[in-house]
């Protein structure tokens, strides 16, 4: 195991590279996340007849930049969550590695799982809850929130800290399985490419392809969890006391198909998201920090 100062430096590098990657990634992918969330929350009024109709009506009502409404909370959230994700992943891989520095398949999977769970508690749950409540407020004839910071103050005043941690169990499950699948597949694909040569650096285009594969696999594995999480954290979430009760209510009232609402847009967003994030992260770690921060 590396000395303590080297371990701490690698975790710090991971967190910083992750934060930069998260900020850049959200600028590219926010519109798809916005549309996905609108479709998942559109269960009472039935405003939209699918993805294209949602895009058309949003642009008609708010202009092109209407697709970026509420981005500030996601931008801050993306920086925080990706920084915590990669910082935690570097920490857990160092803690779980073998004496010779290698990792078993199980420990790689476990490191991703723990990194996702850490990310869920530290950043994703409170920030996603605030984002969804603000987005839901946009559906009202007379919105109550006058921007991000006013919305946060109102939510905290009305519901307290507990209110922004609604859906924690579903979010931990979602993020844990997401990152377990993504890191496991990414590391496995890179190992297959490099073979026994530990100094080989995988080309960035291949990292992008590996990211698309890893992202697609994670979407197929947990879209229903994503839908449950969105419902628990939304404006009318007070009715759903637990993930199981929320899932039961969705199944009873809307059928099994409701668990896959927004899956097309989520697949598009996640594949781009994961590919970009890993490409930026690996570029920073391999080409920038490795030379400038030793």
């Amino acid at each position: 195991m590396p000395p303590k100062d080297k371990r701490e430096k690698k975790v710090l590098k991971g967190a910083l590279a992750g934060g930069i990657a998260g900020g850049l990634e959200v600028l590219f992918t926010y519109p798809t996340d916005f549309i996905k969330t609108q479709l998942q929350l559109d269960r009472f009024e039935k405003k939209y007849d699918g993805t294209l109709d949602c895009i058309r009506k949003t642009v008609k009502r708010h202009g092109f930049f209407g697709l970026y409404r509420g981005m500030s909370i996601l931008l801050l959230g993306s920086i925080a969550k990706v920084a915590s994700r990669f910082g935690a992943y570097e920490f857990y891989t160092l803690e779980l590695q073998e004496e010779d520095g290698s990792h078993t398949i199980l420990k790689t999977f476990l490191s991703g799982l723990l990194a996702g769970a850490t990310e869920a508690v530290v950043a994703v749950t409170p920030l996603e809850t605030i984002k969804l409540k603000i987005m839901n407020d946009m559906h009202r004839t007379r919105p109550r929130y006058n921007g991000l910071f006013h919305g946060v103050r109102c939510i905290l005043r009305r519901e307290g800290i507990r209110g922004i941690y609604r859906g924690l169990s579903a979010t931990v499950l979602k993020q844990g399985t997401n990152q377990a699948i993504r890191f496991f597949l990414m590391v496995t694909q890179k190992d297959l490419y490099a073979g026994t040569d530990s100094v080989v650096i995988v080309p960035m285009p291949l990292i992008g392809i590996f990211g698309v594969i890893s992202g697609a696999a994670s979407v197929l594995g947990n879209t229903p969890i994503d839908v449950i999480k969105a419902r628990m954290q939304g404006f009318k979430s007070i009715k759903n006391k637990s993930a199981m009760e929320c899932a039961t209510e969705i199944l009873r009232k809307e059928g099994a198909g409701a668990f896959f609402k927004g899956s097309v847009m989520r697949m598009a967003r996640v594949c781009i998201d994961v590919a970009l994030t890993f490409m930026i992260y690996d570029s920073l770690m391999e080409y920038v920090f490795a030379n400038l921060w030793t």
Side-chain angles (χ1 to χ4, degrees), residues 110-160:
L110 183 58
S111 295
L113 184 70
L114 292 171
T118 301
E119 172 190 18
V121 175
V122 171
V124 178
T125 303
L127 292 167
E128 283 285 297
T129 302
I130 291 168
K131 181 195 77 172
L132 287 167
K133 287 182 182 296
I134 290 175
M135 281 185 170
N136 250 338
D137 186 63
M138 294 175 187
H139 282 275
R140 297 169 65 93
T141 306
R142 295 182 179 179
R144 298 191 299 182
Y145 304 143
N146 235 348
L148 168 62
F149 295 107
H150 178 255
V152 171
R153 286 199 304 272
C154 289
I155 292 166
L156 287 174
R157 190 182 306 122
R158 188 175 65 252
E159 303 182 42

Side-chain angles (χ1 to χ4, degrees), residues 30-32 34-35 54-55 58-59 62-69:
Y30 182 77
T32 55
F34 178 85
I35 296 300
C54 185
I55 294 172
T58 299
V59 172
H62 302 289
F64 173 76
F65 288 104
L67 297 172
Y68 284 89
R69 295 181 76 201

Side-chain angles (χ1 to χ4, degrees), residues 185-248:
L185 287 176
M186 178 57 70
V187 171
T188 300
Q189 290 171 109
K190 288 168 75 173
D191 285 347
L192 287 173
Y193 175 83
T196 56
D197 191 345
S198 61
V199 298
V200 168
I201 297 177
V202 182
M204 284 305 111
L206 263 184
I207 293 291
I209 293 171
F210 293 164
V212 168
I213 294 170
S214 302
S218 67
V219 170
L220 293 175
N222 68 8
T223 292
I225 299 172
D226 189 51
V227 172
I228 293 168
K229 179 185 72 70
R231 297 293 178 85
M232 290 181 72
Q233 294 173 327
F235 182 71
K236 299 187 179 181
S237 61
I238 195 71
K239 295 168 61 179
N240 302 311
K241 296 180 180 179
S242 70
M244 184 59 69
E245 288 176 345
C246 183
T248 303

Side-chain angles (χ1 to χ4, degrees), residues 17-289:
I20 295 170
L24 294 175
E25 171 270 321
V26 79
L27 295 175
F28 292 102
T29 62
Y30 182 77
T32 55
D33 185 64
F34 178 85
I35 296 300
K36 178 209 73 169
T37 303
Q38 296 301 306
L39 291 172
Q40 288 181 343
L41 296 173
D42 184 38
R43 64 190 191 276
F44 297 113
E45 299 175 357
K46 302 296 181 184
K47 286 184 176 181
Y48 308 119
D49 294 324
T51 300
L52 293 178
D53 184 57
C54 185
I55 294 172
R56 182 179 60 80
K57 288 179 178 176
T58 299
V59 172
K60 183 177 180 180
R61 183 178 178 187
H62 302 289
F64 173 76
F65 288 104
L67 297 172
Y68 284 89
R69 295 181 76 201
M71 187 184 72
S72 55
I73 182 64
L74 189 63
L75 181 62
L76 294 173
S78 183
I79 292 171
K81 74 180 184 180
V82 183
S84 61
R85 177 195 311 163
F86 280 98
Y89 179 74
E90 295 292 352
F91 172 79
Y92 291 123
T93 51
L94 288 170
E95 290 298 313
L96 295 173
Q97 69 183 6
E98 303 295 330
E99 288 296 325
D100 61 358
S102 62
H103 301 87
T104 64
I105 291 176
L106 178 60
K107 287 186 176 180
T108 298
F109 186 87
L110 183 58
S111 295
L113 184 70
L114 292 171
T118 301
E119 172 190 18
V121 175
V122 171
V124 178
T125 303
L127 292 167
E128 283 285 297
T129 302
I130 291 168
K131 181 195 77 172
L132 287 167
K133 287 182 182 296
I134 290 175
M135 281 185 170
N136 250 338
D137 186 63
M138 294 175 187
H139 282 275
R140 297 169 65 93
T141 306
R142 295 182 179 179
R144 298 191 299 182
Y145 304 143
N146 235 348
L148 168 62
F149 295 107
H150 178 255
V152 171
R153 286 199 304 272
C154 289
I155 292 166
L156 287 174
R157 190 182 306 122
R158 188 175 65 252
E159 303 182 42
I161 293 294
R162 188 175 180 181
I164 64 172
Y165 269 92
R166 197 174 301 282
L168 177 62
S169 59
T171 307
V172 168
L173 182 60
K174 177 203 168 188
Q175 294 303 121
T177 54
N178 260 345
Q179 304 315 324
I181 293 169
R182 292 174 192 175
F183 278 111
F184 169 75
L185 287 176
M186 178 57 70
V187 171
T188 300
Q189 290 171 109
K190 288 168 75 173
D191 285 347
L192 287 173
Y193 175 83
T196 56
D197 191 345
S198 61
V199 298
V200 168
I201 297 177
V202 182
M204 284 305 111
L206 263 184
I207 293 291
I209 293 171
F210 293 164
V212 168
I213 294 170
S214 302
S218 67
V219 170
L220 293 175
N222 68 8
T223 292
I225 299 172
D226 189 51
V227 172
I228 293 168
K229 179 185 72 70
R231 297 293 178 85
M232 290 181 72
Q233 294 173 327
F235 182 71
K236 299 187 179 181
S237 61
I238 195 71
K239 295 168 61 179
N240 302 311
K241 296 180 180 179
S242 70
M244 184 59 69
E245 288 176 345
C246 183
T248 303
E249 183 177 321
I250 293 171
L251 184 63
R252 180 170 54 85
K253 292 185 176 180
E254 303 172 59
F259 288 109
F260 292 91
K261 276 191 174 181
S263 59
V264 173
M265 288 304 293
R266 184 174 181 235
M267 177 75 79
R269 181 190 66 80
V270 167
C271 288
I272 296 170
D273 173 351
V274 177
L276 282 174
T277 300
F278 273 109
M279 288 174 71
I280 296 169
Y281 180 81
D282 275 36
S283 296
L284 289 169
M285 293 294 279
E286 298 290 350
Y287 300 112
V288 180
F289 293 164

